[in-house]
Amino acid sequence: GQNIDQPTEMTATEGAIVQINCTYQTSGFNGLFWYQQHAGEAPTFLSYNVLDGLEEKGRFSSFLSRSKGYSYLLLKELQMKDSASYLCAVNGYNKLIFGAGTRLAVHP
Amino acid sequence: GAVVSQHPSWVICKSGTSVKIECRSLDFQATTMFWYRQFPKQSLMLMATSNEGSKATYEQGVEKDKFLINHASLTLSTLTVTSAHPEDSSFYICSARSRTGTNEQFFGPGTRLTVL
């Protein structure tokens, strides 16, 4: 079966670092995406990992371990505008399978 | 980056009517488009995958006769919700994947459907 797990909610302080974990079990794997979604809006692309290791892009980094079925999204120097849902999505056979999303609340 | 538009951005309709939502890739050709539905505080659920010129592939539990998908060209896919009911009220999002490049999907801005 297909299963993608990530925490439902997280809170963090402005300026801090937060790590959002994602574990997956899917029948096919052709890369893992992280998206940010603000309420009432469509998801926006953050990162894509297809090989093991860390991908860094400004304040955001994403890590993948294919053998462990595990990824994380690291957000540094948190800002209030980072309050949003973060969606982990696995690219299976010709389609994306989304996790339920992690709602992150950043407070002063 | 690649741009995907959706029209309308929101629609309110009476129960029993049909609603058509358009999804367009504005600056690239999309061999494959995807339709998702998202209920409040839930994640995106894939409804169907459509390839240009062929029938859509529907996910389990999605009624193909109720959610009609037409992918007539490399830049346009439409979703028609037929005989809409209040439980069909949701946020419908399309995405498109380029015929060249990576596996990335580019998302449209979504359409908020409210059925009274």
Side-chain angles (χ1 to χ4, degrees):
Chain A
Q2 320 269 44
N3 196 39
I4 299 178
D5 286 320
Q6 48 182 134
T8 305
E9 293 182 345
M10 298 182 72
T11 60
T13 305
E14 192 176 16
I17 299 173
V18 71
Q19 177 174 313
I20 303 174
N21 296 321
C22 172
T23 57
Y24 64 90
Q25 289 178 304
T26 57
S27 55
F29 182 84
N30 194 20
L32 185 145
F33 292 86
W34 283 96
Y35 289 90
Q36 180 191 62
Q37 187 180 28
H38 286 98
E41 299 179 12
T44 55
F45 170 79
L46 291 179
S47 69
Y48 173 62
N49 294 69
V50 65
L51 300 176
D52 290 351
L54 188 68
E55 293 282 341
E56 296 187 81
K57 190 185 289 187
R59 295 191 298 117
F60 297 85
S61 303
S62 57
F63 171 83
L64 175 67
S65 169
R66 289 172 295 171
S67 62
K68 295 182 180 178
Y70 168 69
S71 174
Y72 68 72
L73 179 70
L74 193 71
L75 294 81
K76 303 175 187 175
E77 301 170 17
L78 281 172
Q79 302 175 10
M80 298 297 290
K81 67 178 182 179
D82 296 329
S83 294
S85 287
Y86 291 85
L87 309 177
C88 171
V90 172
N91 192 24
Y93 293 121
N94 200 38
K95 61 185 181 183
L96 281 181
I97 304 159
F98 280 86
T102 299
R103 286 193 298 279
L104 174 66
V106 180
H107 55 83
Chain B
V3 179
V4 176
S5 70
Q6 272 184 250
H7 177 79
S9 54
W10 60 269
V11 57
I12 302 173
C13 69
K14 292 182 179 180
S15 186
T17 60
S18 294
V19 174
K20 180 187 282 188
I21 302 170
E22 290 187 351
C23 176
R24 292 181 185 273
S25 56
L26 298 185
D27 51 1
F28 67 100
Q29 292 184 325
T31 50
T32 306
M33 288 185 169
F34 303 86
W35 287 97
Y36 297 87
R37 180 168 52 182
Q38 186 176 33
F39 292 106
K41 295 189 177 181
Q42 295 186 24
S43 192
L44 279 72
M45 298 299 296
L46 179 66
M47 299 175 67
T49 302
S50 75
N51 294 296
E52 185 264 338
S54 62
K55 289 184 179 180
T57 303
Y58 289 81
E59 294 299 301
Q60 194 171 8
V62 178
E63 300 174 56
K64 60 180 66 177
D65 294 331
K66 180 170 180 63
F67 299 99
L68 302 178
I69 291 172
N70 184 18
H71 192 160
S73 75
L74 283 171
T75 59
L76 173 64
S77 177
T78 60
L79 167 67
T80 301
V81 183
T82 62
S83 187
H85 292 284
E87 58 265 30
D88 298 323
S89 298
S90 188
F91 192 46
Y92 291 85
I93 305 174
C94 75
S95 70
R97 187 165 63 199
S98 173
R99 65 189 307 184
T100 60
T102 69
N103 290 311
E104 183 179 352
Q105 292 183 23
F106 303 96
F107 285 86
T111 297
R112 174 77 56 194
L113 170 64
T114 302
V115 184
L116 303 177

